[in-house]
Amino acid sequence: MTSKTGGGRPWGPIRAENTAARKLAETLRRHVDDSGKTLAVLSGEINMSKAQTGVYLAGKLPTQAFIAALIRATVRPDLRERRQEEALVLREQAMRPAPRTTPGAPAVAGPGAGYAVELAAAQARQIETYDRYTRALEQRADVERAKNNSDKLVMVLLNMIHQLDRRVAGLVEERDRLRAQLRGEALEDAERKLARAEEQEQRARAELRRAEEKQRQAEDLEARVTDQLRRLTDELDRLRAGDTTSPLEELPVLPDEPEAGPASADPVGDDIDAALARASQVNDEDNTTLNRVTSELNEPAAGVVQDNPPDNPRSPKSLEARLSQAEEVADAGNHERAIVLFNELIPDVTRILGTDHRDTLNARHNHALNTGSAGSHERAIVLFNELIPDVTRILGTDHRDTLITRYNHALNVGKTGDKELTMALLNDLLLDCTRTLGPDHPVTLNTRHMHSAIVGLASDQDQAAALFDALLPDCNRILGPDHPDTLRTRQSHAVSVREAGDPEQAVALFDALLPDCNRVLGPDHPDTLSIRQSHAVSVRKAGDPEQAVALLDKLLPDYTRTLGPVHPDTLRTRYSHAVSVREAGDPEQAVALLDKLLPDYTRTLGPDHPDTLQTRAYRRKFL
């Protein structure tokens, strides 16, 4: 018979050359069963193909490296050394079996008739399992089709209800107008259309409720079918030590659109009736499909242990890969694309791993972080406000990730111009960071940096310059002179020196900083571009607006190419350019630049954003 271990999961037969080799294969299989891991997961952890792993577990004498890797992946640490020694002893015995011709010793049977019986049983079980696997794939295709239909139907019905609301409002208006004109036949026609439209709206809302219920039912069934497929995939992996194949499944499609009917007195109403009929048909078909799959899934099936299929896009392993991809996109500076990826990922991570899982919290944090980096600071604040209570509850008030989340929340609040709230947040955060992480921790240094910047924004530039002057030696000592945070602190220090009334010294500081930024970060790095912008402003404030215009003329194309024409940093550089043009003696050109800038500011950041208000106020100076 086909051997079973680990709660009913079947294995294929063992084809070993001797008793010790068979015992070794059985021992290694037992370790796999006790670990609860599938062959697909295990092969990834031991860095070996699933097929070769299956061959070793089917009786071929494994290498010492394979045994060590498998024990390490399946046995808890305190037992690994003993289990590895036991397995290696069996391997040594299998390599040097006792002679089969020893007088009086029983013969050691190699693979023979018994193996043939086991193989036949395994092949029969494999065929039966493959049939169930194929049926599960068909069920998944049916559920996906029903779910896609319901998703599309919900959108269609929502749009239809919106149109019907407008149609009813228009027909009520028309009916009231015709009543006032005492137009009998036209009034009857309008009332007939109105009654029909109201009845259609009721039907549309009823179909919407049905479609939403089908959405929920399909999501539940999708999870159940996925579990079924992962169990059957593991069973097939165990029954055969070779390549597995999956049957192709057809993509789901909606029913074809019906041909247009003949013209009538109420063509709009006829179109809506036809659409509602299609909606009802799709709901009926999906209801039949989902009920059938539910019934099939409730049938008794062979007991197998669940685990994650390797290629399921919503398995924890695949979710981790998607999270890594989104983080790589964010690290590359493509914040808009990262927002899309995190937006798609968060519902799956939450549903599969749970709301309190660290990967769920990380995805939400990165989503908020990239939202702020893309310039949507108000939306980022909302996301951080929702995240901070969960992070605090799950990780604790003093956890490093809680403090980092609070830091990024304060950073976005500061970007909106709310200096008082930002200062309050940072004062509390700085005390907690220093107490919990220590004065030399990078998070503490970053908090000191932002606190110093907010002090400057609150119009105490002398104090800000002093704070940055005290922070710089710590950054150099702890992070090193070429660390990006050290370079940013040097920039902020130079800005504070400029705003405290010494633009010439600021220019000298920027002249020393720019070569280091180009060397360490590269010319297209956002920090390098920002430092070039601050340098140009300092040159203007030092009394050379013409040179500032020349610097900004070179900088703007780089900003536009790198970050885009309406990125907040690009917009701020355009503002600095317009101010420099005016101070260089060309107010007409400055007005033209501001008139182009203001609509972009309003559309991108909103009419009440501090940068928009500043630009509008500066433009009024020319009136």
Side-chain angles (χ1 to χ4, degrees):
M1 289 188 59
T2 305
S3 59
K4 293 185 180 181
T5 54
R9 287 190 296 182
W11 286 95
I14 294 176
R15 180 167 187 157
E17 291 297 324
N18 51 61
T19 303
R22 171 177 285 275
K23 189 173 181 180
L24 175 59
E26 291 171 346
T27 299
L28 296 179
R29 285 183 175 187
R30 187 170 61 253
H31 291 324
V32 174
D33 289 331
D34 291 343
S35 74
K37 295 179 179 179
T38 66
L39 291 187
V41 171
L42 181 63
S43 62
E45 293 183 359
I46 66 177
N47 198 27
M48 180 171 289
S49 72
K50 188 167 59 177
Q52 186 60 48
T53 302
V55 168
Y56 282 146
L57 293 175
K60 182 178 179 179
L61 198 62
T63 64
Q64 292 184 15
F66 173 83
I67 292 175
L70 185 137
I71 296 293
R72 187 166 55 250
T74 59
V75 177
R76 68 175 195 258
D78 58 318
L79 294 178
R80 284 176 187 166
E81 184 175 356
R82 184 190 310 172
R83 297 293 179 256
Q84 183 170 329
E85 288 177 357
E86 293 171 352
L88 291 175
V89 167
L90 288 173
R91 181 178 184 276
E92 185 68 21
Q93 293 174 358
M95 292 177 65
R96 297 176 177 83
R100 298 186 182 183
T101 58
T102 302
V108 180
Y115 173 78
V117 173
E118 284 188 315
L119 181 59
Q123 289 176 344
R125 183 64 181 267
Q126 179 180 324
I127 293 171
E128 185 269 334
T129 302
Y130 194 83
D131 287 340
R132 287 189 288 131
Y133 181 84
T134 303
R135 187 163 68 251
L137 284 174
E138 293 170 350
Q139 290 169 343
R140 184 175 68 178
D142 290 339
V143 170
E144 286 179 350
R145 178 186 61 79
K147 184 176 182 297
N148 288 340
N149 286 352
S150 295
D151 291 344
K152 293 177 182 178
L153 196 55
V154 166
M155 298 304 298
V156 169
L157 288 169
L158 286 172
N159 184 56
M160 183 187 297
I161 290 170
H162 176 68
Q163 292 180 0
L164 282 168
D165 284 340
R166 295 173 58 186
R167 177 170 168 79
V168 167
L171 289 171
V172 167
E173 199 175 299
E174 181 181 357
R175 179 200 62 189
D176 293 342
R177 177 176 55 80
L178 292 173
R179 276 179 179 172
Q181 296 175 358
L182 301 177
R183 296 177 60 182
E185 184 176 343
L187 177 60
E188 289 178 2
D189 183 64
E191 288 177 337
R192 187 167 51 252
K193 290 181 179 179
L194 176 60
R196 184 182 185 188
E198 290 173 337
E199 185 268 337
Q200 289 172 334
E201 184 177 5
Q202 292 178 356
R203 287 168 57 197
R205 293 188 183 279
E207 294 298 339
L208 176 61
R209 288 191 292 271
R210 290 182 66 197
E212 289 173 337
E213 176 58 32
K214 297 297 167 290
Q215 276 183 316
R216 290 188 289 271
Q217 188 178 357
E219 287 175 357
D220 292 339
L221 284 177
E222 186 179 48
R224 293 181 61 187
V225 173
T226 298
D227 288 340
Q228 179 87 323
L229 282 170
R230 68 180 60 166
R231 291 194 299 268
L232 294 172
T233 298
D234 188 42
E235 186 171 332
L236 282 171
D237 287 343
R238 289 164 172 267
L239 287 169
R240 57 186 183 185
D243 294 333
T244 59
T245 58
S246 299
L248 296 176
E249 53 187 82
E250 294 183 0
L251 294 176
V253 294
L254 284 170
D256 293 335
E257 295 287 327
E259 296 181 0
S264 72
D266 188 13
V268 175
D270 289 343
D271 288 343
I272 293 173
D273 273 339
L276 285 170
R278 291 199 301 276
S280 180
Q281 178 187 1
V282 170
N283 268 329
D284 289 341
E285 291 175 353
D286 290 348
N287 187 60
T288 300
T289 297
L290 296 175
N291 286 339
R292 174 178 56 78
V293 174
T294 300
S295 176
E296 291 174 352
L297 287 174
N298 287 334
E299 293 176 356
V304 289
V305 176
Q306 299 185 28
D307 206 336
N308 298 315
D311 298 323
N312 178 10
R314 292 181 177 175
S315 70
K317 186 173 181 180
S318 293
L319 291 177
E320 183 180 352
R322 290 169 61 192
L323 181 60
S324 297
Q325 180 198 10
E327 291 172 346
E328 288 173 2
V329 170
D331 290 341
N334 192 348
H335 301 296
E336 289 79 6
R337 176 59 182 159
I339 291 170
V340 173
L341 293 175
F342 283 118
N343 225 10
E344 295 173 347
L345 179 62
I346 287 171
D348 291 339
V349 175
T350 303
R351 183 166 57 84
I352 301 299
L353 302 180
T355 56
D356 292 354
H357 194 278
R358 290 292 296 274
D359 285 349
T360 305
L361 298 178
N362 287 340
R364 291 174 61 192
H365 181 272
N366 281 300
H367 180 227
L369 192 64
N370 281 276
T371 299
S373 298
S376 300
H377 302 297
E378 291 82 0
R379 175 59 181 159
I381 291 170
V382 172
L383 295 172
F384 278 120
N385 278 332
E386 294 172 350
L387 177 60
I388 287 173
D390 293 337
V391 174
T392 304
R393 172 178 56 83
I394 297 163
L395 303 179
T397 305
D398 293 341
H399 193 279
R400 175 180 176 274
D401 289 351
T402 305
L403 299 174
I404 290 174
T405 304
R406 289 171 57 192
Y407 169 84
N408 286 316
H409 171 242
L411 178 65
N412 279 278
V413 172
K415 294 282 189 180
T416 65
D418 192 340
K419 296 184 284 292
E420 292 76 12
L421 177 56
T422 307
M423 183 70 75
L425 293 171
L426 289 174
N427 284 335
D428 292 341
L429 179 60
L430 188 54
L431 290 173
D432 292 340
C433 285
T434 305
R435 172 180 55 82
T436 305
L437 303 176
D440 290 348
H441 194 280
V443 175
T444 307
L445 297 178
N446 283 339
T447 305
R448 287 175 61 190
H449 179 249
M450 184 159 56
H451 176 258
S452 304
I454 294 300
V455 168
L457 290 174
S459 301
D460 193 350
Q461 294 293 348
D462 289 326
Q463 176 65 10
L467 291 172
F468 280 121
D469 200 44
L471 176 60
L472 260 176
D474 293 338
C475 288
N476 276 297
R477 171 176 57 85
I478 298 164
L479 305 176
D482 288 343
H483 192 280
D485 288 348
T486 304
L487 299 176
R488 278 192 286 270
T489 302
R490 290 172 62 188
Q491 177 190 11
S492 297
H493 176 239
V495 170
S496 295
V497 167
R498 180 189 73 205
E499 296 304 314
D502 194 350
E504 292 82 2
Q505 175 62 18
V507 171
L509 293 172
F510 280 119
D511 285 339
L513 175 59
L514 269 171
D516 293 338
C517 287
N518 277 297
R519 172 178 55 82
V520 175
L521 304 176
D524 288 341
H525 193 279
D527 287 354
T528 304
L529 299 176
S530 175
I531 290 166
R532 289 172 61 191
Q533 194 263 355
S534 296
H535 175 239
V537 172
S538 300
V539 168
R540 173 175 61 81
K541 291 194 173 186
D544 193 350
E546 292 84 359
Q547 176 64 15
V549 171
L551 292 171
L552 293 168
D553 280 338
K554 294 179 180 178
L555 175 60
L556 267 172
D558 294 337
Y559 252 132
T560 303
R561 170 178 54 81
T562 306
L563 300 181
V566 293
H567 189 279
D569 289 347
T570 307
L571 298 177
R572 293 187 192 101
T573 304
R574 290 170 61 189
Y575 174 80
S576 296
H577 182 244
V579 172
S580 298
V581 167
R582 178 179 183 269
E583 294 190 10
D586 194 347
E588 292 81 6
Q589 177 64 12
V591 168
L593 294 171
L594 291 169
D595 286 343
K596 291 180 180 179
L597 175 60
L598 260 174
D600 291 339
Y601 252 138
T602 304
R603 183 176 69 255
T604 304
L605 301 181
D608 298 327
H609 190 277
D611 289 351
T612 308
L613 297 176
Q614 178 189 39
T615 304
R616 187 177 294 115
Y618 188 75
R619 173 66 179 84
R620 290 197 187 102
K621 293 182 179 180
F622 295 89
L623 298 178

